[in-house]
Amino acid sequence: MRVVAGLLLLLLGLCGSGAQGEAGGLGEVAEINQNPDPKHPAEESTQQSTKQTTCDVWTELRALRDMVVEQKVHMELLQRENSDLQTRLSSSESELLISKSRIDQLERENAEQPKVAFYAALTDARTLGPYNTDITLKYSKVFTNIGKAYNPSTGFFTAPVKGVYSLQFTVMGYNAGVISVQVYKNNQRIMSNWERNTDVNPEYFTKSLVLELTAGDEIHLVLPSGHSIFDDSNNYSTFSGSLLFTL
């Protein structure tokens, strides 16, 4: 824009010079009219040159005016585009702040939610049973006990909070006759499973449960009277569980 302004000033100066030349020409015409002597050819050439210069100046001025108008329109478009970009940037920053706030909230909720998971194997004593009475199975080889909700001394899992829990157990029998495990919730049987095993080939079964438990509910596994179960250092018979989500 400074260059354009400089060109305008230059052309205006030229225009002034041309106007003076044209005025001088008119004065000379008046003198010539008073003087009946014929015009000199050089004077006629000067007048024509002055008129042509004046026309060229005004043509250049109009061209510069059009260029200035075009540049002004272009600048207004750029300003509007910049304003739109600023608006979108502000909107994006607001959305980013909202997302960050939501992530922080989820992280706090996750940190506050209790974490419960356990995994334990039964024994290294090989065959347990058959017995004359039902016995509570105590899975004494604990590998995972996050939240300390499983007690290997009693064999009981106690729900620390109200929620939905996933529980699973695997049973192996080896030349045991009949293998069986029952699931109890608060001393009430909720599942019973058995499998016949009458030869040296091992037998397995695995069961899973998804239970809604309240804080303090207890789950334990029972070996019924007259049945057997097998385990050793290979950890064939196991009991595990975890909290899926709180309620």
Side-chain angles (χ1 to χ4, degrees):
M1 292 302 295
R2 291 180 178 176
V3 174
V4 172
L7 290 173
L8 283 173
L9 291 174
L10 177 60
L11 289 172
L12 287 173
L14 291 174
C15 180
S17 299
Q20 289 177 1
E22 187 174 4
L26 290 175
E28 290 175 359
V29 169
E31 291 176 359
I32 292 171
N33 287 336
Q34 294 173 3
N35 188 357
D37 293 338
K39 297 179 181 178
H40 194 278
E43 293 178 358
E44 292 182 356
S45 176
T46 302
Q47 291 178 3
Q48 291 177 358
S49 175
T50 301
K51 291 180 180 179
Q52 182 63 41
T53 301
T54 302
C55 293
D56 291 343
V57 168
W58 285 110
T59 300
E60 291 294 333
L61 283 173
R62 284 192 293 270
L64 283 173
R65 179 200 61 191
D66 295 340
M67 184 171 64
V68 170
V69 171
E70 182 181 353
Q71 291 293 329
K72 181 179 179 182
V73 171
H74 184 62
M75 287 187 65
E76 290 175 351
L77 289 174
L78 289 177
Q79 288 174 350
R80 284 197 294 269
E81 291 177 359
N82 183 63
S83 178
D84 292 340
L85 288 174
Q86 289 290 342
T87 300
R88 288 199 295 268
L89 179 60
S90 298
S91 177
S92 299
E93 290 176 347
S94 298
E95 292 176 358
L96 181 61
L97 289 175
I98 293 173
S99 298
K100 185 178 184 302
S101 177
R102 180 57 179 162
I103 291 172
D104 292 341
Q105 180 182 351
L106 291 173
E107 288 178 347
R108 288 193 300 270
E109 291 176 356
N110 183 63
E112 294 169 357
Q113 180 177 339
K115 296 174 176 59
V116 181
F118 74 96
Y119 171 73
L122 184 59
T123 182
D124 287 339
R126 298 175 67 82
T127 300
L128 297 180
Y131 300 108
N132 294 327
T133 184
D134 297 350
I135 65 166
T136 297
L137 292 172
K138 300 176 183 179
Y139 290 78
S140 58
K141 296 184 292 182
V142 178
F143 301 101
T144 301
N145 196 10
I146 298 172
K148 306 299 181 182
Y150 175 71
N151 186 345
S153 299
T154 62
F156 279 67
F157 167 75
T158 304
V161 294
K162 183 178 181 180
V164 176
Y165 293 80
S166 173
L167 300 167
Q168 179 175 310
F169 60 92
T170 297
V171 176
M172 176 187 175
Y174 182 71
N175 196 23
V178 179
I179 57 177
S180 178
V181 166
Q182 298 173 342
V183 181
Y184 279 76
K185 173 186 175 183
N186 298 332
N187 296 317
Q188 179 181 359
R189 187 173 63 194
I190 60 174
M191 178 183 285
S192 182
N193 303 273
W194 65 274
E195 185 75 32
R196 188 174 298 278
N197 176 236
T198 56
D199 54 30
V200 294
N201 294 318
E203 295 287 345
Y204 299 88
F205 64 80
T206 297
K207 298 294 180 179
S208 298
L209 304 88
V210 176
L211 298 175
E212 179 181 336
L213 304 176
T214 60
D217 283 345
E218 294 179 328
I219 302 292
H220 68 281
L221 306 184
V222 170
L223 177 66
S225 61
H227 297 76
S228 300
I229 188 172
F230 181 90
D231 196 19
D232 62 16
S233 59
N234 292 308
N235 305 316
Y236 296 115
S237 296
T238 61
F239 181 30
S240 61
S242 63
L243 172 65
L244 297 178
F245 53 86
T246 59
L247 295 174

